[in-house]
Amino acid sequence: MIMKKRVSVILAWILAGVGVLAFFLPWVRPAVQARETSPLEVANQLASGEDSFFDSWIGLRKDEWRVFWQRPTTGLSGYQILLLGSDEGIQAKQAQEWLDAVFGDRGGLGRLANVLPLVILLLTAAFLSPRKPLPRLFGAGGVLLLAFYLWGRWRLDGTYTQRVLAEMEIGYGLWITLYATLALAILAGLRFLNPKGKW
Amino acid sequence: MFRLLVFLGITLFGAVAPAWSELSHKVEKGETLFALSRKYGVSLKQIQEANPGLNPQNLKVGQTVRIPEPASPAKQAESPKPPGPAPVRPAAADNAGDVPKGAYRVQAGDTLSKIATKFGVTASQLRVWNDLPSDRIVLGRILRVAPPDAASAKGGNPAVAEADPAPVSAKQAEGDKKAARVAEPAKPVEARAEGQPKAPEYFFVSKVKSKIDGARVRKGRWKYIVVHHSGTRNGNLKIFDYYHRHRGMENGVAYHFVIGNGMDSGDGEIEVTNRWKKQLQGGHLASEELNEVALGICLVGDFNKTRPTRKQIAALVELIDYISRKTGPRPKFMVHREINPKPTDCPGKYFPAAAMHRLFDGRN
């Protein structure tokens, strides 16, 4: 029975691990052609295409897919963004201004939110581990994770225009964090609905 | 007998309930007379007539305003039309006759899903075809109810191609104009790039290029380009012009340009005002000196509640880029709250001011 339950537990730990790893991968970075594009190109990008529900809440837009794997080592990771607040250096200040232009993060809430996925990922993995099922914890963890995923997508969707204007791209690290969170939310939800399931 | 009484009761209630009796409205924070006129579908003049002595400039929170019955279509036709403004609330008309095939005029009680069911399509299709940001629809608005492809296959746009070529009334012309707007949403660049040179081109500006180019601009006069939001859910040049004239601005609408949000004008549609055409000073800042050197661009919407549409921002970027080439040295990009001598939150917290500065500041 324990062996059968390990599937979900192992999966939960893998997802939590991926989420943690993605925290150290690029989350945001300047576009390749930053400061060289004409405002008209920016206008053209904004005017092209309409967002569907899928684009906004589940998948990626075409231009986001296009840059997903590009320059995998370039950009600020979630961890670096977290450190920006305490760094007094000019480059850090510039980077912070750059993030402010997109996310309007002046109160530090955004930085706090960066830590949140880590905490939730670990918590959920812990919820999924006990031998004795704890359905309420699964439920609460699932809701928290889903809320974080939706909050992240809402934030990214709402700042798309700013990102285009500020010539900024979202790196694959942030996407992976979000999708790992969503997958964990689904897993926790399934365990909540079926706590005695043999998986 | 009982059934008969119930039937009579329901019938009588049904007959009486929709009738609009004069009602009163308690003014809430941030509301203006103009907003009330939009909310209840009556004109400013009608409200003022129903409330003699009411000062539109000095509405107080909690004050009660009497809302008169909106004029019936027949009544509206008889009464002299105020100069300029578009009808505040287009009278619900029978769909047959005044709306081209493939389009539908929104009637009282309609919802997007009801209309979708009526025409055998889905609400989301209607949203896409009509560029609607949400399920909310405005009474009297003409909606496309057939796919654009079907229309082009028939040799044109369903909303305009089969329109009666005979002379039309002003109301009908307005309806047709709306239909045309509905039928021609701003096309994505990807779609229009085929077979055309790849050089950046103005899409939103190109539609009003002649109006912009017609102005005799003195190089170096305009030092700032100031962006505002209207603070209203909808509106267009005509409506703002009427409102500003009503407030005593003899040159009409305070801005040089108005950019629509798809409600009363097209999404991203640029409207050029007389202040640009005649190169008059603006009326959008609380300083005569600044108005003399600052161009005003108003984006329709309340950006404390909603975000500007992408097409609005795209049109704004194009417009700033284009007029900067005409004004000589690129005017400095500002938003209202950054330059106005009096405190204001315009253009709202959701306007991407910082990102716009990143795009324009430091460019020549």
Side-chain angles (χ1 to χ4, degrees), chain A residues 35 37 39 50-51 61 98, chain B residues 202 310-311 317 358 363:
Chain A
R35 310 309 294 162
T37 47
E50 290 294 326
D51 285 347
R61 296 177 183 86
W98 182 55
Chain B
Y202 295 97
R310 274 197 219 163
K311 284 175 184 167
V317 170
R358 276 188 61 84
R363 286 184 196 267

Side-chain angles (χ1 to χ4, degrees), chain B residues 49-293:
Chain B
E49 279 170 2
N51 298 272
L54 181 73
N55 181 359
Q57 307 298 325
N58 194 24
L59 273 188
K60 287 173 184 153
V61 175
Q63 187 175 359
T64 303
V65 177
R66 285 188 355 212
I67 309 293
E69 180 183 359
S72 68
K75 236 177 173 177
Q76 278 178 351
E78 283 165 20
S79 62
K81 231 179 166 185
V88 170
R89 173 172 155 180
D94 188 7
N95 195 40
D98 68 341
V99 178
K101 202 177 172 186
Y104 173 77
R105 189 187 291 278
V106 178
Q107 315 276 311
D110 276 346
T111 62
L112 205 61
S113 50
K114 268 188 193 174
I115 298 171
T117 310
K118 192 171 182 176
F119 290 94
V121 294
T122 65
S124 58
Q125 280 175 315
L126 289 180
R127 274 200 305 274
V128 171
W129 295 340
N130 294 285
D131 230 7
L132 296 174
S134 69
D135 279 359
R136 296 182 74 167
I137 45 174
V138 181
L139 182 65
R141 180 171 173 167
I142 295 175
L143 295 178
R144 176 198 282 277
V145 290
D149 292 343
S152 52
K154 281 179 193 171
N157 184 326
V160 291
E162 294 176 87
D164 189 355
V168 290
S169 66
K171 188 181 130 201
Q172 194 174 340
E174 176 69 15
D176 286 349
K177 200 176 154 198
K178 279 186 180 176
R181 282 200 295 267
V182 167
E184 289 179 37
K187 286 175 191 165
V189 177
E190 283 172 1
R192 70 186 136 93
E194 275 184 22
Q196 290 178 17
K198 209 185 171 187
E201 57 181 89
Y202 295 97
F203 177 64
F204 297 98
V205 164
S206 65
K207 294 172 182 175
V208 287
K209 203 162 171 284
S210 59
K211 287 181 186 172
I212 297 175
D213 291 346
R216 300 182 67 177
V217 185
R218 181 160 54 83
K219 295 273 180 190
R221 173 188 173 181
W222 301 109
K223 307 274 188 268
Y224 303 100
I225 292 177
V226 181
V227 175
H228 303 253
H229 71 154
S230 67
T232 56
R233 201 168 65 88
N234 50 357
N236 60 22
L237 190 156
K238 266 188 176 180
I239 292 169
F240 299 147
D241 188 66
Y242 175 68
Y243 183 52
H244 287 176
R245 281 181 197 279
H246 217 76
R247 279 172 49 183
M249 291 186 176
E250 59 181 22
N251 288 320
V253 63
Y255 318 105
H256 296 87
F257 301 94
V258 175
I259 299 178
N261 65 349
M263 303 283 276
D264 287 326
S265 58
D267 189 4
E269 180 182 339
I270 299 169
E271 294 181 287
V272 185
T273 76
N274 274 335
R275 289 194 193 253
W276 170 262
K277 290 176 195 165
K278 297 177 183 171
Q279 289 292 289
L280 303 174
Q281 69 163 52
H284 52 103
L285 298 170
S287 157
E288 284 291 313
E289 291 78 20
L290 286 174
N291 276 327
E292 192 58 45
V293 295

Side-chain angles (χ1 to χ4, degrees), chain A residues 46 56 70 128 169 181 183:
Chain A
L46 282 173
S56 297
Q70 282 177 8
L128 291 166
E169 294 169 356
T181 311

